[in-house]
């Protein structure tokens, strides 16, 4: 455990009448009323929305409230608010100690809140409430999560070869563009590689050889925008954007045709998984909408955000880290007879730590929500708070995984942070999958079904990069989801 650093000022707790023992029973924490307010109806939520997107920005929005109320558990409105969300009021959890209450499905319900205080129209998902929106208490949750476990298991033999093939293609494209133009965007080639890889690995079907051609990524981008627009900023002038995408939902009929093209690809490609679904008592139609969502929203969306982030953090860390990674990765592959395997990757502690550190410092899905099922107590580092049944909890994950009381140099990318016995102990505070990194998704919890798969492909990405190059240089811009990376140079292996 580390002490608070300068990034978040210490909170001086004012001791109240009631004291409760902490979880460990060692110290007594004061019971406090949750500070913060929601403002006037309608006006309060809109003021908070404008502060969140434009006047302050996300991090400053939460940081200023922590300072104002001297608490990491506070009441606030969360976007979008009127007229999209009927109730924008949340209790925000802004430290690594209170955050894990969101994982305890015996105390919280996770129904219809995957995207937050609003739920996109089910017209965007074939009329079905998709798995991500189901609470584990709903019987369909178990069946659908089992189906995804089946999908991941049945594709496991294809992951290594298809990843290598699709990302070899990506590096070729980037190299060609570098030769021609002196720089190359990472975004488009990454999206094409990711979607082709998923079609080939999950379903044994190469999208570019079907009617979809190379259109998959742009169809998905439009469809995802219709779901997430209320919580995104596209960089348009503030009041126009706020009215256009944060005030009313975009009409789903505008994306119907695009969705149908994606659906047809999945229906034709996923035959054997759909057969399995029928055996499990799920209709082919419901299964297919779920496979589409898991592939295009959960997985493709994740790769679209996280792979550029990995490049950003490793790129910024500089050539010394690059060479160390290249050395470790190549020597392990060499000692494994030139073969890359799961076992070989386990012998690459620096590479593994770097991937976890990228997940810690910038969790790809920063917001998680859950509703209190019962009256409960939530503990921060400084106090205990009473929450009433039915209240909405919201966790801002970057503040939980950059909590200076849990992580030393919390704001810094420390490549070797998770190495060794002491380093591995910190993994329980890494939450990108909606659960501690030391735990696993089951049909009883809401942890990301693709957790192990995501860690595997993220590692593969770093390995494929440093098999080929000693060092690289990038330029970083912003985009609506994740970072916009321009590759300025790739230096081929010299050892
Ligand atoms: C970088 C990639 C990914 C990230 C960052 C990510 C993140 C998350 C997060 C934060 C949640 C919890 C959301 C919530 O309930 O608040 C979640 C749930 C989920 N994810 Fe992922 N995910 C990724 C990839 C995948 C993949 C590859 C799959 C595919 C099979 C997947 C399937 C799911 C499903 C089905 C749920 C809901 C689980 C349940 O209902 O029990 N995700 N993911």
């Amino acid at each position: 455990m580390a002490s608070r650093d300068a990034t978040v000022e210490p909170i001086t707790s004012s001791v109240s009448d009631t004291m409760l023992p902490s979880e460990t029973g060692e110290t007594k924490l004061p019971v406090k009323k949750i500070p913060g307010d929601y403002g006037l109806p309608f006006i309060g939520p809109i003021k908070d929305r404008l502060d969140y997107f434009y006047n302050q920005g996300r991090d400053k929005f939460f940081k200023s409230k922590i300072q104002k109320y001297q608490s990491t558990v506070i009441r606030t409105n969360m976007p979008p608010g009127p007229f999209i969300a009927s109730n924008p009021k949340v209790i925000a959890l802004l430290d690594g100690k209170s955050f894990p209450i969101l994982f305890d499905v015996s105390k919280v319900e996770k129904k219809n809140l995957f995207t937050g205080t609003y739920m996109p129209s089910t017209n965007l998902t074939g009329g079905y409430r998709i798995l991500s929106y189901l609470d584990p208490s709903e019987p369909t949750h178990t069946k659908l999560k089992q189906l995804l476990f089946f999908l991941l298991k049945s594709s496991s033999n294809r992951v290594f070869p298809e990843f290598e093939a699709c990302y070899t293609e990506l590096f070729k494209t980037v190299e060609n563009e570098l030769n021609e133009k002196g720089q190359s965007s990472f975004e488009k080639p990454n999206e094409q590689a990711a979607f082709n890889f998923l079609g080939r690995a999950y379903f044994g079907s190469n999208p570019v050889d079907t009617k979809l051609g190379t259109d998959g990524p742009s169809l998905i981008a439009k469809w995802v925008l219709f779901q997430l627009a209320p919580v995104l900023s596209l960089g348009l002038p503030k009041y126009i954007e706020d009215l256009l995408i944060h005030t009313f939902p975009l009409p789903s009929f505008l994306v119907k045709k695009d969705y149908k093209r994606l659906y047809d690809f999945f229906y034709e490609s996923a035959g054997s998984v759909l057969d399995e679904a029928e055996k499990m008592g799920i209709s082919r139609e419901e299964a297919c909408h779920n496979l589409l969502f898991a592939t295009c929203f959960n997985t493709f969306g994740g790769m679209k955000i996280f792979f550029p982030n990995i490049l950003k953090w490793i790129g910024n860390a500089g050539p010394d880290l690059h060479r160390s990674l290249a050395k470790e990765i190549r020597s392990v592959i060499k000692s494994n007879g030139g073969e890359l395997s799961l076992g070989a990757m386990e012998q690459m502690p620096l590479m593994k730590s770097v991937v976890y550190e990228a997940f810690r410092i910038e969790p790809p899905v920063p917001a998680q929500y859950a509703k209190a099922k019962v009256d409960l107590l939530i503990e921060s580092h400084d106090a205990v708070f009473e929450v009433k049944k039915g209240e909405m909890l919201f966790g801002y994950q970057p503040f939980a995984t950059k909590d200076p009381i849990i992580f030393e140099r919390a704001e810094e990318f420390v490549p070797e942070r998770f190495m060794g016995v002491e380093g591995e102990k910190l993994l329980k505070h890494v939450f990108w999958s909606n659960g501690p990194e030391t735990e696993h998704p089951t049909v009883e919890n809401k942890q990301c079904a693709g957790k192990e798969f995501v860690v595997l492909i993220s590692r593969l990405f770093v390995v494929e990069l440093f098999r080929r190059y000693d060092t690289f240089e990038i330029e970083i811009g912003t985009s609506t989801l994740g970072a916009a990376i321009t590759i300025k140079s790739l230096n081929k292996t010299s050892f």
Side-chain angles (χ1 to χ4, degrees):
M1 294 274 173
S3 62
R4 284 184 198 276
D5 68 12
T7 53
V8 179
E9 301 282 316
I11 293 164
T12 44
S13 67
S14 66
V15 181
S16 75
D17 304 340
T18 334
M19 305 282 271
L20 283 184
S22 77
E23 261 171 8
T24 52
E26 287 160 14
T27 51
K28 290 198 169 170
L29 291 170
V31 180
K32 286 192 185 170
K33 191 168 162 273
I34 301 170
D37 72 279
Y38 299 117
L40 292 171
F42 192 74
I43 294 170
I46 290 186
K47 182 187 176 300
D48 276 337
R49 180 166 89 203
L50 293 174
D51 284 349
Y52 177 93
F53 284 118
Y54 311 107
N55 303 337
Q56 295 180 303
R58 220 165 52 182
D59 279 19
K60 218 166 154 206
F61 177 77
F62 296 118
K63 231 171 229 176
S64 68
K65 287 185 194 284
I66 294 177
Q67 285 309 314
K68 181 170 172 194
Y69 297 113
Q70 290 289 300
S71 175
T72 50
V73 174
I74 50 163
R75 293 185 183 274
T76 180
N77 298 293
M78 275 299 285
F83 298 98
I84 294 176
S86 58
N87 185 0
K89 295 176 182 175
V90 304
I91 294 165
L93 312 175
L94 304 172
D95 63 76
K97 190 169 171 201
S98 58
F99 193 95
I101 188 74
L102 297 167
F103 313 144
D104 186 348
V105 289
S106 71
K107 294 190 177 138
V108 302
E109 187 187 69
K110 300 256 308 170
K111 193 173 185 173
N112 298 345
L113 41 68
F114 179 61
T115 43
T117 54
Y118 75 104
M119 180 178 168
S121 165
T122 51
N123 289 337
L124 292 162
T125 49
Y128 290 96
R129 284 174 61 234
I130 297 297
L131 174 57
S132 289
Y133 293 92
L134 302 183
D135 186 72
S137 62
E138 301 179 76
T140 319
H141 175 271
T142 299
K143 282 197 223 167
L144 289 172
K145 203 161 182 182
Q146 253 159 0
L147 181 68
L148 290 192
F149 290 151
F150 171 82
L151 168 75
L152 292 167
K153 196 157 176 233
S154 63
S155 55
S156 59
N157 286 339
R158 290 190 291 267
V159 172
F160 276 76
E162 297 299 2
F163 194 93
E164 191 182 337
C166 294
Y167 277 79
T168 297
E169 194 65 33
L170 169 138
F171 289 118
K172 255 197 226 152
T173 309
V174 171
E175 281 186 24
N176 286 341
E177 201 161 319
L178 267 175
N179 285 339
E180 277 169 30
K181 300 184 188 155
Q183 62 178 38
S184 168
S185 154
F186 178 68
E187 192 176 349
K188 288 268 165 304
N190 178 47
E191 290 181 10
Q192 200 59 56
F195 191 64
N196 293 344
F197 161 67
L198 293 174
R200 292 161 65 159
Y202 280 171
F203 307 109
S205 171
N206 193 1
V208 292
D209 300 335
T210 71
K211 277 184 234 147
L212 268 189
T214 54
D215 294 345
S218 59
L219 298 174
I220 298 171
K222 186 170 164 195
W223 172 68
V224 168
L225 177 69
F226 274 60
Q227 297 167 76
L228 292 184
V231 288
L232 294 181
S233 176
L234 307 176
L236 303 171
K238 128 171 155 182
Y239 293 110
I240 295 175
E241 178 174 282
D242 206 51
L243 188 67
L244 212 60
I245 61 173
H246 301 149
T247 314
F248 305 101
L250 296 171
S252 54
F253 73 86
L254 292 177
V255 73
K256 204 170 167 171
K257 263 199 201 141
D258 308 76
Y259 185 74
K260 178 75 168 56
R261 285 188 66 198
L262 289 169
Y263 183 84
D264 289 344
F265 166 73
F266 283 88
Y267 203 83
E268 280 154 29
S269 310
S272 61
V273 189
L274 297 178
D275 291 343
E276 179 67 20
E278 276 194 317
K279 278 189 220 151
M280 294 165 67
I282 311 166
S283 75
R284 290 182 95 76
E285 209 189 46
E286 181 166 14
C288 192
H289 289 293
N290 271 280
L291 293 177
L292 189 163
F293 195 92
T295 310
C296 300
F297 196 114
N298 300 121
T299 320
F300 176 83
M303 292 171 83
K304 178 180 157 76
I305 298 171
F306 191 56
F307 282 17
N309 279 356
I310 298 183
L311 268 191
K312 178 176 81 177
W313 289 104
I314 298 181
N316 274 350
D320 287 350
L321 174 66
H322 300 177
R323 282 191 207 95
S324 304
L325 280 165
K327 219 166 154 186
E328 175 184 90
I329 288 164
R330 289 174 206 165
S331 75
V332 172
I333 294 176
K334 201 169 165 201
S335 63
N336 272 272
E339 286 291 314
L340 184 61
S341 63
L342 274 179
M345 289 205 293
E346 282 305 321
Q347 299 160 35
M348 302 175 184
L350 179 62
M351 179 279 289
K352 285 165 54 185
S353 175
V354 160
V355 170
Y356 288 136
E357 178 67 345
F359 274 121
R360 180 197 71 85
I361 200 160
E362 198 170 6
V365 181
Q368 269 85 64
Y369 290 82
K371 215 168 239 180
K373 270 210 282 210
V374 287
D375 291 352
L376 47 91
L377 293 172
I378 295 181
E379 244 180 61
S380 73
H381 295 293
D382 317 285
V384 181
F385 302 94
E386 285 171 334
V387 171
K388 288 273 169 255
K389 179 180 173 181
E391 292 200 276
M392 180 72 115
L393 306 171
F394 152 76
Y396 186 53
Q397 204 187 130
F399 280 18
T401 55
K402 289 190 290 181
D403 182 334
I405 295 191
I406 293 171
F407 290 104
E408 275 174 40
R409 294 152 72 197
E411 298 285 331
E412 260 177 71
F413 183 80
V414 180
E416 58 283 353
R417 186 185 297 278
F418 296 101
M419 286 171 74
V421 180
E422 288 308 307
E424 283 178 15
K425 281 189 192 157
L426 289 170
L427 284 173
K428 65 173 184 287
H429 301 292
V430 176
F431 299 146
W432 72 267
S433 65
N434 194 43
E437 193 56 31
T438 43
E439 291 180 16
H440 303 285
T442 69
V443 294
E444 280 97 33
N445 65 24
K446 278 295 283 180
Q447 193 162 11
C448 175
K451 174 177 173 262
E452 325 298 344
F453 176 83
V454 171
V455 171
L456 169 60
I457 59 173
S458 305
R459 289 176 179 178
L460 279 174
F461 177 61
V462 177
V463 168
E464 292 299 343
L465 178 65
F466 288 105
R467 272 177 118 171
R468 293 174 169 76
Y469 310 107
D470 291 347
T471 58
F472 64 95
E473 287 170 318
I474 52 167
E475 224 170 62
I476 301 158
T478 52
S479 84
T480 306
L481 287 171
I485 303 290
T486 304
I487 300 182
K488 306 292 282 186
S489 71
L490 288 171
N491 304 309
K492 288 204 170 145
T493 66
S494 60
F495 58 92

